[in-house]
Amino acid sequence: MSASCAVTPSVRTEFLSSSSKSSIFPAQICRPRNKCEMSRRDFAVRGIVASGVSVMGTPSSPSAASQSAQGSERLAFKPEGYNFWEWRGHKIHYVVQGEGLPLVLIHGFGASVFHWRYNIPELAKKYKVYALDLLGFGWSDKALIEYDAMVWTDQVIDFMKEIVKEPAVVVGNSLGGFTALSVAVGLPEQVTGIVLLNSAGQFAAESRKREEADETVITKFIVKPLKEVFQRVVLGFLFWQAKQPSRIESVLKSVYVNTTNVDDYLVESISKPATDPNAGEVYYRLMTRFLTNQSRYTLDSVLSKMTCPLLLLWGDLDPWVGPAKAEKIKAFYSNSSLVHLQAGHCPHDEVPEAVNIALLDWLSNVVSKPLSPKVTEM
């Protein structure tokens, strides 16, 4: 199941900040915005489709074959999931394949381990690859908690301590990217490298600017006036509407430059109705939690505390998080390399071969010798 990336609004309002231009619904604020800006309302709307993946039952489509339309090897789909680990009383789903240096893959908002369908088999030929579903997403429990980005950071840190148990490179897309950075800061002795694919997150100055705009437009005129009951009604309706196959396919194609992998399996995996009894409540909590200010979580704060090598694999054609953000991260963090990719928000699923090649090349350098910053184009 991969779908979500297409709708993977990086979380936390740009914790997420970078999302947004093609909205599932025409929900734009009447003011100019650039590609790297996203309002909380936009995030709420886009998150609906993403959340569809996180709260839904398993897709039963036989299209989850071991080969993609491009002929690439694909992770075998298992409706029942792979492995499960109990964390703080909740069931967490994960996949593990291969042997060697561990790699930990973290999906974006609304996605699951299956969004790494084309990466796990190839990377597992040389490394021990782990991919886990964040709490509230994929096959992991839909826990009724107050969701916060640090919940996922804590989850991945404990996963590395209890399951991985040795130094590893952490790879993350969108929300998973910011989570990876936070893990590197929280568990520096076990993180030997970080790889970001169109990561979520804002720099402090951007975050403050965003909050000021949101306070005057969103909070003042939309959030505050709404009572909880009306929020539930509105979000419930949007959640239902956004799960329609035609709408999902449209959003997916807006962020996949090459739409080959926007296949029936991908669309069906999102359009399946939510089956978990907690699905609606989890979605509501995710959306309303992210509608609050989270300025303390910024790229500056984590990058300034990080010490390990960083690789940026960036889909330059992403309508939500453009290459300017990757360049800014690289300029801020000197121990980094940047690879430009001709792809959208989810390069690992759109151009998996290019991502796998670049990642494997970087890993061989990180393991064998110090990393020297460079910029390449693929």
Side-chain angles (χ1 to χ4, degrees):
M1 168 146 89
S2 71
S4 79
C5 170
V7 288
T8 262
S10 328
V11 187
R12 279 212 178 267
T13 301
E14 200 290 86
F15 177 93
L16 284 174
S17 147
S18 328
S19 283
S20 170
K21 232 70 180 288
S22 60
S23 184
I24 300 172
F25 304 100
Q28 292 189 350
I29 298 175
C30 298
R31 63 182 179 82
R33 292 178 298 171
N34 60 42
K35 290 183 179 179
C36 293
E37 286 187 291
M38 168 185 178
S39 71
R40 287 184 169 80
R41 178 172 61 173
D42 287 333
F43 170 56
V45 172
R46 290 185 181 289
I48 295 162
V49 176
S51 192
V53 148
S54 70
V55 297
M56 74 172 183
T58 57
S60 57
S61 171
S63 58
S66 60
Q67 300 294 319
S68 73
Q70 300 174 334
S72 301
E73 185 177 357
R74 182 160 67 181
L75 177 70
F77 181 80
K78 291 186 178 181
E80 70 280 9
Y82 279 78
N83 307 286
F84 291 89
W85 162 62
E86 185 171 322
W87 179 69
R88 298 184 180 181
H90 305 299
K91 187 171 65 173
I92 302 299
H93 175 238
Y94 72 97
V95 171
V96 56
Q97 290 188 2
E99 294 296 334
L101 171 73
L103 307 181
V104 178
L105 312 183
I106 311 174
H107 62 76
F109 189 86
S112 71
V113 299
F114 293 102
H115 206 204
W116 302 102
R117 53 185 176 169
Y118 301 123
N119 313 108
I120 294 174
E122 186 65 25
L123 298 176
K125 294 176 181 178
K126 293 186 177 181
Y127 299 94
K128 189 169 186 177
V129 183
Y130 294 87
L132 73 161
D133 287 344
L134 298 177
L135 187 67
F137 300 111
W139 276 251
S140 289
D141 280 349
K142 310 304 175 289
L144 299 182
I145 64 171
E146 292 304 311
Y147 285 91
D148 180 277
M150 294 305 105
V151 168
W152 298 313
T153 297
D154 292 344
Q155 176 193 336
V156 177
I157 286 177
D158 288 346
F159 179 81
M160 293 185 67
K161 289 179 178 179
E162 298 179 23
I163 302 297
V164 181
K165 298 180 179 179
E166 56 183 314
V169 170
V170 183
V171 183
N173 168 239
S174 198
L175 164 64
F178 193 90
T179 300
L181 292 173
S182 298
V183 170
V185 173
L187 194 66
E189 68 277 10
Q190 201 173 333
V191 177
T192 59
I194 292 293
V195 180
L196 302 181
L197 297 99
N198 294 62
S199 178
Q202 283 182 306
F203 283 89
E206 298 168 339
S207 180
R208 286 192 297 271
K209 186 176 181 181
R210 175 74 262 159
E211 284 180 7
E212 291 172 1
D214 284 347
E215 174 61 29
T216 59
V217 179
I218 297 297
T219 307
K220 184 176 180 180
F221 297 109
I222 297 178
V223 177
K224 288 183 178 179
L226 288 176
K227 298 291 185 179
E228 180 179 349
V229 61
F230 294 112
Q231 290 179 353
R232 287 183 180 276
V233 170
V234 172
L235 289 173
F237 172 73
L238 293 178
F239 179 64
W240 169 81
Q241 189 174 13
K243 292 188 296 183
Q244 305 309 309
S246 60
R247 180 69 70 179
I248 292 170
E249 183 176 3
S250 175
V251 174
L252 287 167
K253 288 183 176 180
S254 74
V255 291
Y256 273 58
V257 178
N258 178 354
T259 59
T260 301
N261 286 342
V262 181
D263 50 22
D264 291 342
Y265 166 62
L266 192 61
V267 175
E268 185 178 358
S269 70
I270 299 178
S271 62
K272 288 284 187 181
T275 59
D276 191 289
N278 292 340
E281 180 63 21
V282 168
Y283 168 72
Y284 174 77
R285 293 187 182 199
L286 284 168
M287 291 300 100
T288 54
R289 176 63 175 174
F290 294 148
L291 289 176
T292 60
N293 296 331
Q294 302 295 336
S295 60
R296 59 182 175 177
Y297 302 124
T298 64
L299 289 170
D300 322 43
S301 65
V302 291
L303 289 171
S304 62
K305 299 173 185 175
M306 202 172 77
T307 58
C308 64
L310 169 65
L311 172 64
L312 301 164
L313 296 178
W314 220 265
D316 285 352
L317 305 180
D318 184 352
W320 297 346
V321 190
K325 182 175 182 180
E327 295 286 357
K328 189 169 184 177
I329 293 174
K330 186 177 185 301
F332 186 91
Y333 193 75
S334 61
N335 191 11
S336 61
S337 295
L338 171 59
V339 176
H340 294 287
L341 300 165
Q342 293 301 296
H345 191 63
C346 310
H348 57 295
D349 190 59
E350 185 179 342
V351 290
E353 289 186 3
V355 167
N356 291 338
I357 290 172
L359 178 54
L360 288 170
D361 179 64
W362 181 80
L363 286 169
S364 65
N365 289 326
V366 170
V367 172
S368 62
K369 57 185 178 181
L371 182 68
S372 56
K374 59 181 179 180
V375 178
T376 60
E377 181 123 13
M378 297 186 68

